[in-house]
Amino acid sequence: MSENCDQNCNGCQENCSDRKEEFDFSAPANEFSQVKKVIGVVSGKGGVGKSLVTSLLAVQMMRKGHATAILDADLTGPSIPKAFGLKEHAMGSEEGLMPVYTKNNIGVMSINLLLENESDPVVWRGPLIAGTVKQFWSDVIWGDVDYMFIDMPPGTGDVALTVFQSIPVDGIIVVTSPQELVSMIVKKAVRMANMMNIPVLGLVENMAYFKCPDCGSEHRIFGQSRLESIAAAYSLPILGRIPIDPKIAAACDAGKIEECEGDWLDRAADMLIRSVNKDDETAAGSTSDAEKAATEEKGSGTMKIAVATDRGSVTEHFGHCENFMIFSAENGKIIGEENCPNPGHKPGFLPVYLDERGVNVIISGGMGGGAVDLFNEKGIEVVTGASGDMRKAAEAYLSGDLKSTGSVCHEHNHADECEN
Ligand code: ADP
């Protein structure tokens, strides 16, 4: 409870545990705004490139001919105006506040466009931040917008949550970088999204690699990415990978992000366009965009699928199988296989063993619930309920035809330890 509490919950925006009445956090849109799709861009912490991805997504959609806007909700680190070289102040009238438009007509509202001096620090606490973001939604005359991108406050805590409660967000894109604890961040973002009933549309990896300007070879500066397996574990598509590129940093610094060339977010743009088109179709029974894109992702890039086998067929008892046949796949096709005899059945050992071999997906007939959790913690997807020829099972997975039944092995019901 705040020290200024007057026990009158009506009108108070603090989300405190002593609240007596439910407060409706949702804010109405401005009467002169028609925004078709609102996409929140989130990250686990500051500095991973959330604002960069927000800006590049807006630029990409603008280049495809859509009316685009950015609501900069990162009030304590607003970097959108700088990336677009916006220096003027936002102007207001009786009807509301006008966004400032970039060279290519992207509407932007940011606290930096209202401050006397753009370097003034904003050291507000959560409720004030959320209240201001709400005003950016309700008091700004956005006009007709096809795609609005919200540069969210960093993190997946209270402030982000309250912003999501205020604005009708249609989907979330999570930005990660390879030097973070990606699996934890994705888990938190998915949990927050579930609480709000908002779908996570996919993941974007920033600073994924560095391409040598002389020889063109790609270097993983922060080590091998674990994003693929984490995306597979949560059935989320990877919507793009952005390299570390001094030209990107220079473009942000010079306010010329609209001139930045790169097809890194093409997949994200296509997914967003599909999601708007889908609104015209009947939703009933149709596969979600995230699922469709996840299936597409299975058909692109490289991955390793371990099938627990007995004499060439998918085994029923994961931990006691004879072999793990590890299929390497590229662009949806099997390009190699490696037969690994089962090294033995010790609790907790196989998840480590298969993770070290770079496996992204396990296919089995059944598996103990404890083992499923251990694999998922490592970002490895588990598909159970499979049977028959091992290669056909892997191919069915790649084509999106093999769905997990979630079948848990009941023969060994001591859940946490069983790996069967
Ligand atoms: P966040 O919004 O997550 O706090 P920003 O998008 O503002 O992070 O990025 C932080 C800084 O890092 C910016 O100065 C930006 O120009 C730079 N930066 C981000 N991603 C890249 C990249 N892929 N290559 C080069 N510089 C980058």
Side-chain angles (χ1 to χ4, degrees):
M1 190 194 300
S2 132
E3 52 194 31
N4 301 324
C5 178
D6 60 3
Q7 304 286 312
N8 177 11
C9 300
N10 197 4
C12 171
Q13 296 191 9
E14 203 143 330
N15 197 9
C16 85
S17 53
D18 293 327
R19 173 171 288 287
K20 296 189 192 97
E21 298 149 34
E22 278 291 306
F23 187 82
D24 182 7
F25 287 93
S26 65
N30 183 280
E31 60 173 312
F32 300 105
S33 302
Q34 285 88 36
V35 183
K36 285 195 191 137
K37 277 274 159 185
V38 182
I39 311 296
V41 183
V42 307
S43 66
K45 57 172 179 155
V48 296
K50 175 177 52 58
S51 306
L52 172 74
V53 170
T54 309
S55 308
L56 289 176
L57 280 170
V59 170
Q60 186 88 342
M61 296 312 283
M62 171 274 291
R63 282 183 186 152
K64 286 183 185 282
H66 301 284
T68 308
I70 302 179
L71 190 161
D72 187 358
D74 189 355
L75 298 197
T76 54
S79 31
I80 299 291
K82 184 161 195 282
F84 285 89
L86 302 178
K87 297 214 173 353
E88 58 269 55
H89 280 113
M91 306 296 279
S93 70
E94 292 270 294
E95 275 86 31
L97 203 55
M98 289 305 292
V100 172
Y101 288 91
T102 71
K103 283 194 195 77
N104 292 289
N105 225 21
I106 299 173
V108 175
M109 183 47 69
S110 168
I111 194 75
N112 264 10
L113 301 172
L114 301 170
L115 293 175
E116 195 58 42
N117 185 346
E118 67 165 16
S119 56
D120 288 347
V122 173
V123 283
W124 297 343
R125 298 211 328 215
L128 197 49
I129 292 178
T132 306
V133 173
K134 230 170 167 173
Q135 279 184 283
F136 283 180
W137 175 246
S138 298
D139 297 351
V140 174
I141 301 172
W142 290 102
D144 286 328
V145 172
D146 296 323
Y147 297 93
M148 173 184 281
F149 296 94
I150 305 191
D151 189 4
M152 293 292 294
T156 47
D158 260 10
V159 184
L161 206 60
T162 316
V163 170
F164 279 123
Q165 285 173 320
S166 316
I167 300 176
V169 177
D170 295 290
I172 294 174
I173 291 178
V174 183
V175 183
T176 66
S177 73
Q179 76 268 47
E180 298 177 288
L181 273 174
V182 176
S183 98
M184 193 183 70
I185 287 156
V186 173
K187 192 172 177 181
K188 283 188 178 176
V190 168
R191 191 181 303 152
M192 176 175 74
N194 286 345
M195 280 168 74
M196 302 307 308
N197 228 348
I198 301 171
V200 176
L201 301 174
L203 312 173
V204 173
E205 186 174 49
N206 187 31
M207 307 188 196
Y209 57 92
F210 173 75
K211 194 166 183 173
C212 172
D214 297 326
C215 69
S217 60
E218 288 181 7
H219 301 268
R220 310 261 154 194
I221 306 279
F222 300 113
Q224 199 56 38
S225 164
R226 312 230 338 105
L227 197 65
E228 216 142 76
S229 53
I230 288 153
Y234 288 92
S235 290
L236 292 174
I238 297 173
L239 298 174
R241 285 196 160 93
I242 304 173
I244 300 170
D245 187 341
K247 284 200 206 103
I248 296 179
C252 289
D253 288 346
K256 293 186 170 165
I257 196 68
E258 283 169 295
E259 292 170 24
C260 206
E261 293 295 338
D263 56 3
W264 314 297
L265 296 176
D266 268 0
R267 182 184 277 268
D270 290 346
M271 183 273 299
L272 289 174
I273 291 167
R274 266 204 315 266
S275 76
V276 163
N277 291 343
K278 191 200 72 181
D279 283 352
D280 301 335
E281 297 165 13
T282 44
S286 68
T287 319
S288 77
D289 294 317
E291 274 170 348
K292 270 189 203 150
T295 304
E296 270 171 31
E297 180 62 23
K298 282 172 190 164
S300 65
T302 55
M303 68 186 327
K304 284 189 176 179
I305 304 166
V307 186
T309 62
D310 287 323
R311 276 161 283 154
S313 294
V314 183
T315 189
E316 255 185 64
H317 303 296
F318 166 76
H320 292 300
C321 69
E322 287 169 4
N323 302 301
F324 293 102
M325 184 59 89
I326 303 182
F327 293 105
S328 305
E330 200 171 85
N331 297 325
K333 297 265 171 304
I334 293 176
I335 53 161
E337 59 185 55
E338 184 195 353
N339 190 9
C340 289
N342 187 346
H345 174 44
K346 284 172 271 172
F349 176 70
L350 287 175
V352 177
Y353 175 81
L354 291 167
D355 186 40
E356 280 170 357
R357 270 148 196 80
V359 167
N360 311 102
V361 182
I362 311 278
I363 296 177
S364 177
M367 187 185 291
V372 175
D373 289 345
L374 288 175
F375 278 115
N376 287 347
E377 271 167 29
K378 293 197 172 297
I380 297 173
E381 182 184 8
V382 175
V383 179
T384 57
S387 60
D389 183 78
M390 60 186 183
R391 177 179 276 266
K392 285 201 177 122
E395 284 169 346
Y397 173 82
L398 286 167
S399 62
D401 293 329
L402 183 68
K403 298 274 177 264
S404 182
T405 60
S407 160
V408 170
C409 171
H410 296 293
E411 207 169 287
H412 304 260
N413 237 349
H414 36 287
D416 280 356
E417 302 212 325
C418 181
E419 280 184 358
N420 294 294

